[in-house]
Amino acid sequence: MAKDNDCIFCKLANGDIPTNLLYENDLAAAFADANPQAPVHVLVVPKDHYANIIDGIPADVLAAMVDAVDHVARERGLDKAGFRTIMNTGEAAGQTVNHVHMHILGGTSLGEGLL
Ligand code: 5GP
Ligand code: ZN
């Protein structure tokens, strides 16, 4: 899998659009959500383009995304307090950017419910 030249998250994750990467490894990157829904709202994305979680993401890329979650959570002090990860897939879930991304939400009590 490769980059998609029309994809904003490909550009952000690979530095083609300058952004403050909160963490990166060889295969994944983390940056702040532009429209935060919690005191901490970070997106973790693979550097290669995959549309969603069922787009054949290789195991090493998934592992790299989890590594990024681990680093961001600890760096933001969420590891003890707890946090939420969400991956929206498709229209019914409200996915608006078709480059797979994991939301990390924390820094407050997130409550219970559907999620
Ligand atoms: P989705 O609804 O697809 O799960 O989430 C997409 C998320 O991407 C939204 O929370 C939205 O605020 C965020 N987002 C969309 N465009 C950009 C952007 O250009 N930069 C950043 N940092 N976040 C974005
Ligand atoms: Zn992409």
Side-chain angles (χ1 to χ4, degrees):
M1 193 61 72
K3 284 53 172 171
D4 177 336
N5 287 333
D6 297 324
C7 173
I8 184 91
F9 282 5
C10 279
K11 291 177 180 163
L12 289 168
N14 291 285
D16 297 329
I17 295 176
T19 192
N20 180 30
L21 292 185
L22 302 173
Y23 177 76
E24 67 176 317
N25 54 40
D26 286 350
L27 298 174
F31 49 84
D33 194 291
N35 183 22
Q37 304 297 309
V40 178
H41 188 172
V42 174
L43 300 173
V44 169
V45 306
K47 291 184 174 179
D48 277 350
H49 185 85
Y50 301 92
N52 56 47
I53 191 67
I54 55 169
D55 193 23
I57 306 173
D60 59 345
V61 176
L62 290 169
M65 292 175 70
V66 174
D67 171 69
V69 172
D70 186 318
H71 277 84
V72 169
R74 290 176 197 285
E75 197 262 332
R76 292 301 177 90
L78 303 180
D79 52 319
K80 296 204 171 54
F83 60 98
R84 182 169 289 155
T85 50
I86 296 176
M87 299 176 83
N88 292 317
T89 302
E91 202 177 330
Q95 184 179 5
T96 58
V97 179
N98 290 318
H99 176 127
V100 67
H101 49 279
M102 196 178 295
H103 296 259
I104 301 173
L105 295 156
T108 188
S109 178
L110 296 161
E112 298 172 17
L114 183 62
L115 301 175

